Amino acid sequence: MDQEKKDFFISYTVADQQWAEWIAWQLEDAGYTTVLQAWDFHSSSNFVQDMQTALEKAQRTIAVLSPRYLQSAYARAEWSAVFAEDPTGEKGILIPVRIEPCELKGLHKAIVYIDLVRKERNDAQAFLLQELQHVLEKSRRKPKQEPGYPGEFKLEPRYPGSLPDVWNILRRNPNFTGRDQLLQDLHASLTDGNHTALTQQALHGLGGIGKSQLAIEYAYRYSTSYDHAWWIRAEEDASIITDYAALATALQLPEKDAEEQKVIIESVRRWLNTHHGWLLVFDNARDAASIRHYLPDSSGGHVLITSRNPDWRTIGTPLQVTVWESDESIAFLKQRTGQDQQENRDANELADELGDLPLALEQAAAFIEKRHITISEYLNLYRTRRKDLLDRTTPSDDYPDTIVTIWVMAFEAIREVPLASDLLFFSSIIAPDAIPKDLIKQALEQRVDDQDHEEQSIDELDFHDAIDALCSYSLISPDTDTFSIHRLVQAVTQDRMGPEAMAHYRKEMLQSLLAQFPIEGYNTPSCWPLCAQLLPHAEKIMEISEPSVSMASLLNNMGNYYHGRASYAEAEPLYRRALLIKEEQLGREHPDVATSLNNLALLLDAQGKFGEAEPLYRRALLIKEEQLGREHPDVATSLNNLALLLDAQGKFGEAEPLYRRALLI
C-alpha cells in the first residue's frame, strides 16, 4: 500500500462496498486522495497491519453509515479508534456519511454526519463535495474504469442510491445477515473475466436455506454493476413466460404485444444477446431442462439461478448454500427480535437447536416478536413442547423436525383468528408464488357455501385479519394483490391437514379455479393476463386432484388459453386429458365429450394435422346428432367445422353438402 499521507480513509462494511467505491471515486475525481480496502489492500498482505497503517496515514476517516455498519465488529473497531482521538468532534477527523436510515446511540448521537439518504445522485454528489473542503493534490494506483461489470467502461460509477430503470427485483430484506464471503464468491464467479460463454451461477440447497434472499441481496449489493436486472419465477413454465412478457414490456420491445408467446420469448432473448450489463435471476428453477430454452446465448450479462436441485453443471456453475455460521445466526436473532442487548448464550443455544437454518430462525424470531417474549422464554417453550408438538403432526422425512416444531407453534397461534387456518390450508395446495388474494377469497366463500348449503360472502375485515395473522408469523409473504408461501410451509401444512381434509380443500379450490379461470381464452386476448396469473395454480391443483368432470372443464379452459396463444404443444395434452376424463366420467356418447372432441380437432386442424382432426370432427358430429337431434344448432357448428377442414384439403365435393346442411339448420 502507498505509504504517503492521504486525505481520507474510507471505513465501510463489505455489504456497502458499492457505496464506498462511489464515494471514493467522487472524492478522487474532485482531487482528494483516499485509502479504500477494495482498491488498496491485497490478498497477500497483512489485513490488520494494513488497516492500522491506513488509519495512521489518513488525515481523516469517512465512516459509511448503515445498519450493517453499526452491527459490524470490524467497523466498530475502526470507528472507535478514530472517535477516541476526537470524542468532541472538534478536530473533524471522523466524518460519518449516512447512506441508509440508522440510529446512532450513546455518545455517538452527538456526531454530525453527512446525510445522503433519499438524495438523488446529482444532489448527493454536490452535497458530499460541498461538505469536504480540503483538497489534496495526491495520486496513487486505482482502477482505470468503474468497479462493476468487467469489460464495460464507464466514466464514473453509477450512484448507488439509484436502481436501474429496468428492475423488478423483490424488496431487499432489512434483516439480511451474514453471507458476506458467499456473496463475494458469487460475485467473483460471475465476474471472472471469461467472456467466451454466458456466465451462469446456480445457488442450490435445502428449502428454507435462504437462496432467494441471497439472490436478492446480491442484486442490491452489486446493483451498480448492472443496467438491467429482472426477477423470473422459474418453478413453472407459465410463470417464466409471464415474467418474460413483463420484461418485454419493460424493455419496450416491438413484439411485446404479440399473441404467440414464443415470439415474445425470442424477442427478449435477441435483446439480451445484443446488449450488455444485465442480470437475470431464475428463482426456484426445477432443473436445467426446464429453463434451458429460455436462456440467452451471449456473454453480455449474468444469469443467477436458485434451486433445490444441485445438478446444474450442464448449463452453469453450482454453488451450494449451507446453513448460517453460529455468529450469523446469533446476530440475526438479536437484530430481528430487537433484543440486541441480550446475552449471546440464549441466542446461541436456540440457533443450535434450530440447526442454524435461516428460515427456521426467521420463524422463531417472528414468533418471539409477535408474542413479545424473550429469546430465553422462547427457548424454554421450545424445549418443553418439542416432543409434544412433534407428536401432534407427521413431519416430512425431507425436512428437519425442528422446522415442523416452529411452524406447529405458529399454526396453533393463528387458530384463534377467523379464516386464518383455512386460508393457510388453501394456500398450501396450489403454486407457492404470486397467489391471487381474490382466488383465496373465492375458495373461502366456496368452503362456507359448501358447509352452510347457501351462498355467503366473506367479511372483508376478517379476510384481511387472516392475511395479517399469517404475515405476522412469516407464514406468507404479502404483496399488493398477491402473496407467496414458502414450499416448506406448504409441505408441513399438508402434513397437518391429513388426506381426508386435504381432499376436501382440493375439491373446493378446484371449483374456485374453475369459477375464476376464463373459458374464453381461445378468442379473447383481454382475459390472457388473468389466465397467465391463474395458470400455475391450476397446473398445481391438477397434479394432486382426483379426476372429475370439474377437472376436465378446468383442463379445457387451460387448453383454450394455450390454444389462443398458439402454444399448441402445451394445449394438446390438456385437451386430450380432458377428453379422457369426460369419457370415463360421463360416457363416450355424452354431448360434453363431443365438445372436447371438437376442441382437440380444432387444435389439430390449426396445425395442419388434417388426418388426425377429421375423425374427431366426424365423431363429435355423430354424438351431437344422436344426443341433441339432427336439427340442433350445435350440429350445424360441427357440420361447419368439418366442412372447413374438407374445404382446406380441396375436397370441395364433400364439403359443399355439409355447408348447405349447416346453412339450412
Side-chain angles (χ1 to χ4, degrees), residues 85-309:
E85 293 185 32
D86 185 23
T88 64
E90 293 179 2
K91 300 178 182 178
I93 62 174
L94 176 63
I95 307 174
V97 176
R98 195 175 75 142
I99 60 168
E100 290 184 18
C102 54
E103 183 181 357
L104 299 178
K105 298 180 180 180
L107 294 175
H108 296 159
K109 277 188 173 182
I111 297 177
V112 178
Y113 48 76
I114 299 173
D115 197 357
L116 301 185
V117 175
R118 299 186 182 90
K119 283 185 169 58
E120 295 297 328
R121 179 198 181 282
N122 290 337
D123 292 340
Q125 182 184 44
F127 185 71
L128 174 66
L129 296 177
Q130 177 184 327
E131 296 298 311
L132 303 172
Q133 301 297 323
H134 305 290
V135 177
L136 306 175
E137 297 293 341
K138 301 285 185 179
S139 63
R140 59 143 176 85
R141 176 187 58 82
K142 70 173 183 180
K144 295 183 178 179
Q145 64 181 56
E146 168 199 357
Y149 173 69
E152 182 180 6
F153 179 79
K154 292 184 178 180
L155 292 177
E156 58 177 334
R158 186 173 64 244
Y159 175 51
S162 63
L163 295 173
D165 292 334
V166 178
W167 174 278
N168 77 331
I169 304 300
L170 305 181
R171 186 175 66 89
R172 193 177 193 178
N173 183 355
N175 298 310
F176 186 88
T177 302
R179 305 292 199 194
D180 289 336
Q181 187 59 54
L182 190 56
L183 284 161
Q184 291 180 54
D185 292 344
L186 177 59
H187 188 243
S189 178
L190 287 171
T191 58
D192 65 358
N194 177 13
H195 303 299
T196 59
L198 177 64
T199 304
Q200 294 163 163
Q201 184 80 56
L203 301 172
H204 67 88
L206 177 69
I209 208 71
K211 303 178 294 294
S212 298
Q213 291 297 323
L214 188 64
I216 294 170
E217 180 65 17
Y218 173 85
Y220 279 93
R221 191 170 294 192
Y222 297 103
S223 62
T224 59
S225 297
Y226 301 102
D227 294 323
H228 313 84
W230 206 252
W231 189 272
I232 299 167
R233 296 162 297 152
E235 188 167 80
E236 304 289 344
D237 276 347
S239 55
I240 297 177
I241 292 168
T242 299
D243 291 341
Y244 257 68
L247 178 54
T249 299
L251 293 171
Q252 289 297 302
L253 300 183
E255 300 86 353
K256 61 183 175 65
D257 296 320
E259 292 187 1
E260 293 191 38
Q261 294 169 337
K262 64 180 182 181
V263 173
I264 298 176
I265 292 168
E266 285 306 311
S267 71
V268 173
R269 292 182 74 247
R270 281 196 303 272
W271 188 93
L272 295 170
N273 285 335
T274 55
H275 290 76
H276 296 271
W278 47 261
L279 171 69
L280 292 184
V281 180
F282 284 82
D283 186 47
N284 287 309
R286 298 190 303 274
D287 50 41
S290 68
I291 66 170
R292 192 189 307 274
H293 58 289
Y294 294 105
L295 298 174
D297 302 314
S298 81
S299 60
H302 298 155
V303 172
L304 185 56
I305 302 162
T306 73
S307 177
R308 292 188 226 173
N309 188 343

Side-chain angles (χ1 to χ4, degrees), residues 41 62 79 90-91 111 123 160 193 243 251 270 290 302 313 381 385 423 444 477 508 515 538 582 644 661 663:
F41 293 9
I62 289 180
W79 170 291
E90 293 179 2
K91 300 178 182 178
I111 297 177
D123 292 340
D243 291 341
L251 293 171
R270 281 196 303 272
S290 68
H302 298 155
R313 293 196 179 277
L381 177 64
R385 296 197 59 184
L423 194 156
L444 291 169
S477 302
E508 288 157 355
K582 286 183 179 179
L644 284 166
R661 186 180 159 203
L663 175 61

Side-chain angles (χ1 to χ4, degrees), residues 605 617 639-649 655 658-659:
D605 192 348
Y617 278 139
L639 286 166
N640 190 69
N641 289 341
L642 178 57
L644 284 166
L645 178 74
L646 297 169
D647 192 347
Q649 299 176 78
L658 301 180
Y659 278 139

Side-chain angles (χ1 to χ4, degrees), residues 483-527:
F483 62 86
S484 298
I485 180 172
H486 196 278
R487 289 146 191 80
L488 287 177
V489 178
Q490 287 186 314
V492 176
T493 303
Q494 290 177 22
D495 288 339
R496 286 179 56 77
M497 291 167 67
E500 185 176 346
M502 191 170 172
H504 284 299
Y505 281 100
R506 284 198 303 257
K507 181 179 178 181
E508 288 157 355
M509 176 54 71
L510 179 61
Q511 293 297 326
S512 300
L513 281 163
L514 184 58
Q516 291 215 347
F517 204 110
I519 191 174
E520 61 272 19
Y522 171 65
N523 56 10
T524 310
S526 61
C527 76

Side-chain angles (χ1 to χ4, degrees), residues 7-18:
D7 292 329
F8 300 104
F9 169 66
I10 312 294
S11 174
Y12 64 97
T13 185
V14 67
D16 302 318
Q17 180 174 323
Q18 296 289 305

